[in-house]
Amino acid sequence: GAQPPIELIRQYFDHKGWYDLKDRRMREIVDTTIISAMGPPGGGRNVITPRLIRHFFPFCTNEQDEKTLIRIFSAIVEISIAKN
């Protein structure tokens, strides 16, 4: 079936914005970065269409233990603090 939120995201990637239905003009979205995460299909999660996936770089990773997650996110926070 149709997945309207996914199609809106795809329209952003394909056309850099959305159409305003009131005045039928394109609304350009600027200075935006989209990052996403997802789990495998099943349990209420749908398969993502190839039309949307083509705009991302999908990769998979094994689940990490708590020590590894703390190290990863600590590094990210430290870099963010150092920039500010």
Side-chain angles (χ1 to χ4, degrees):
Q3 299 178 42
I6 289 176
E7 287 305 310
L8 285 173
I9 293 169
R10 186 199 54 78
Q11 186 180 46
Y12 164 75
F13 280 116
D14 289 346
H15 304 287
K16 304 298 180 216
W18 293 287
Y19 287 99
D20 187 330
L21 296 177
K22 291 182 182 176
D23 61 9
R24 297 182 184 197
R25 291 187 341 182
M26 183 68 168
R27 298 289 181 166
E28 185 178 7
I29 309 297
V30 296
D31 297 329
T32 303
T33 302
I34 295 181
I35 300 173
S36 67
M38 61 183 268
R45 292 183 299 269
N46 295 322
V47 174
I48 304 300
T49 65
R51 292 173 69 192
L52 178 61
I53 290 287
R54 70 181 178 188
H55 296 289
F56 289 95
F57 177 75
F59 67 94
C60 300
T61 182
N62 295 332
E63 188 173 343
Q64 306 296 323
D65 62 14
E66 185 175 351
K67 182 179 176 182
T68 302
L69 291 174
I70 289 172
R71 183 173 179 197
I72 291 169
F73 288 106
S74 294
I76 292 170
V77 170
E78 288 174 12
I79 290 169
S80 179
I81 290 171
K83 287 183 179 181
N84 295 326

